[in-house]
Amino acid sequence: MTEDPTLEFHPRTPLDERRLGRAWQRAAAGMASEEGLLARIGQQLMERLDEIRLTPARVLVVGDRTGLMADRLQKRWPRAEICAAARVEWLARSPSSRRLPWQRRPWHLVAEPHRLPFARGRFDLVISSMALHWSRDLPAALREMRRVLAPDRLLLFTVAGAGTLQELHSCLARMDQERHGHGWVRGPELPSLSGLGELLAASGFVLPVVDRDRIPLPVPDLPFLLQQLRALGAGNHMRQRPAGLLGKGYFKRLEDAYQASYRLADGRLACTLELLFGHAWKGGAS
């Protein structure tokens, strides 16, 4: 089976940063649960640290919308300085979990991944879970994270891969073609497995490793799926969007198309999440 061609990592249609930020703010409080999907993915990423011999003094968490990742890392390395950077102001004001007065707490700030307010070589570990694919400039974000890493230190992350929500995107593309004569870009272009590895190497990282986990997440119906996506802060956050109202019956036609193509034997609808796990090292040169 041949790999999908390497994607262009700059979205053809720019993200609406304000719209994305508002969506993440609305979703942040509801995501602050150890049982949520993003929390479970974050835990899988944390488990990969068990295979790596690393005791960092300073850790940067990029895109930690709820603070859960930062809290987990602080418990893992109580003496480390943990910093969480995200575009969501809600996170910057949120308190960490309760600790005794002498225990260290993570600290939080609002920052974009492609413009981090830190000196070169400050961190021993940069970690990010399900956030980098929302960067408006993924290559610039990777270069910036490499900049703030100390020599011979680690970047560890997950992003959504190109196969994520392939069923929904297929149905939307067909309906766009019928209605507008062309498709609309409804989200950032997601990387392929080989494309992400090539991008890490091009960004100056050494020993890049990327692997994939395709997770089936069947849903009872389309409204449930759309509600879950809104709860995660996902949606169409592009600057160029279809003009006008969707029209009466649009979502009914969308669900009918989804049911016709992706209905499972048990009556649920197929839904795919593709996770790309990556890690790479900054070489000895700064």
Side-chain angles (χ1 to χ4, degrees), residues 124-185:
D124 302 306
L125 170 66
V126 175
I127 187 168
S128 179
S129 181
M130 298 300 286
L132 294 180
H133 52 277
W134 284 108
S135 171
R136 61 180 170 183
D137 191 341
L138 181 54
L142 291 174
R143 292 192 299 269
E144 185 71 347
M145 290 186 291
R146 181 184 180 277
R147 182 186 67 81
V148 302
L149 270 174
D152 298 317
R153 293 301 185 261
L154 179 67
L155 168 68
L156 181 68
F157 65 94
T158 57
V159 293
T164 296
L165 299 178
Q166 60 188 13
E167 301 88 356
L168 177 60
H169 289 307
S170 174
C171 293
L172 286 169
R174 292 201 302 269
M175 293 187 64
D176 282 346
Q177 189 65 38
E178 294 172 1
R179 181 182 177 124
H180 304 286
H182 62 83
W184 286 91
V185 178

Side-chain angles (χ1 to χ4, degrees), residues 235-255:
N236 187 349
H237 305 311
M238 313 309 287
R239 290 181 186 173
Q240 295 181 17
R241 299 157 54 84
L245 300 175
L246 293 175
K248 185 176 180 180
Y250 176 85
F251 286 105
K252 178 64 168 63
R253 294 195 302 275
L254 179 59
E255 179 156 31

